[in-house]
Amino acid sequence: MELAIYVVDAFTEQQFKGNSAAVVPLTEWIADELMQNIAIENNLSETAFIKKITPNRYEIRWFSPLTEIDFCGHATLASSFILFNQFDVQGEIDFVTLEVGTLSVQQLDNGRIQMSFPNQMPEIVKDIPPAVLDGLSIKPLVVMKNRQAYFAVLASANDVLNVEYNAELLKLLAPYDLVVTSSCNVDSNLSINEGNVSKSKGAGINPDFISRYFWPASGGDEDPVTGSIHAGLAPYWSTRLNKNRLTAYQASKRGGILYCEMENDRVLVSGSAVLYLQGKILV
């Protein structure tokens, strides 16, 4: 059996930045075990499998090298990019998911792809798991949680950039992952230029908030860019900063820029993408 495969760098405008995702279009679903094995072989943070229902409606499932994931933003962006650019799909795309409802996607006039996510605002955690506190080298100011992850709010963007983590302790949080975040107001000169952090204000994009995402129990130690967690980060920082539109930077080694907007009970997350690979899987 031959299957088409594409690899896309998501939440970036250049190759080798952002987060890589594989996209495998299917005409019929294949066995779960085979999808998992393909994801293991790809060894990317996510492999998305998409199957057409009607011209602009697709089922989508996401697999990390370890397990099936119930919500993934960057692989949704990558899948949309392939449909818009390789399959000439026009207009809005609806992705039907198993766990988070229907995700609507459209391509904006500026070329960015905008995804509509459910609002997953985190809530304060009163009994903080020891693994959160002991698993980070810097103690958080606040700890919250949503259906996906624990949120550790740090004092500054520098703390987010410099915090170290203990992957073995963070595995104890399963099935939850951990995101660390801060506003960039304290670090007023923080600037992002082509995915690189600079201390020269105005040299690039000045983000409203910054994050890093650790998921050793579900996919890997640190995820390059995590679109789904911004369904929780954006509403939190929108409330804290009193802004409806926010620019976010995920500060992994590859780095990624996300544009977020609150719209009623939805969170709009936008980004760019670049094609890296097109080929065939022989299974």
Coordinates of all heavy atoms in Angstrom, one line a residue, residues 82 139 202 210 237:
I82 N -1.6 21.9 3.7 CA -1.5 21.0 2.6 C -2.8 21.0 1.8 O -2.8 21.0 0.5 CB -1.2 19.5 3.1 CG1 0.2 19.5 3.7 CG2 -1.5 18.5 2.0 CD1 1.3 19.9 2.7
K139 N 10.3 28.3 40.9 CA 9.0 28.1 41.4 C 8.0 29.1 40.8 O 8.2 30.2 40.6 CB 9.0 28.4 42.9 CG 9.9 27.5 43.7 CD 9.6 26.0 43.5 CE 10.5 25.1 44.3 NZ 10.4 23.7 43.9
G202 N 11.9 46.4 19.1 CA 11.7 46.9 17.8 C 12.4 46.2 16.7 O 12.2 46.5 15.5
I210 N 4.9 34.6 26.5 CA 5.8 33.6 26.0 C 5.6 32.3 26.8 O 5.0 32.3 27.9 CB 7.3 34.1 26.3 CG1 8.3 33.2 25.7 CG2 7.5 34.3 27.8 CD1 9.8 33.8 25.8
W237 N -4.2 35.1 29.2 CA -3.4 36.3 29.1 C -4.3 37.5 28.5 O -4.1 38.6 28.8 CB -2.2 36.1 28.2 CG -1.1 35.4 28.9 CD1 -0.6 34.2 28.6 CD2 -0.5 35.8 30.1 NE1 0.3 33.8 29.6 CE2 0.5 34.8 30.5 CE3 -0.5 37.0 30.9 CZ2 1.3 34.9 31.6 CZ3 0.3 37.0 32.1 CH2 1.2 36.0 32.4

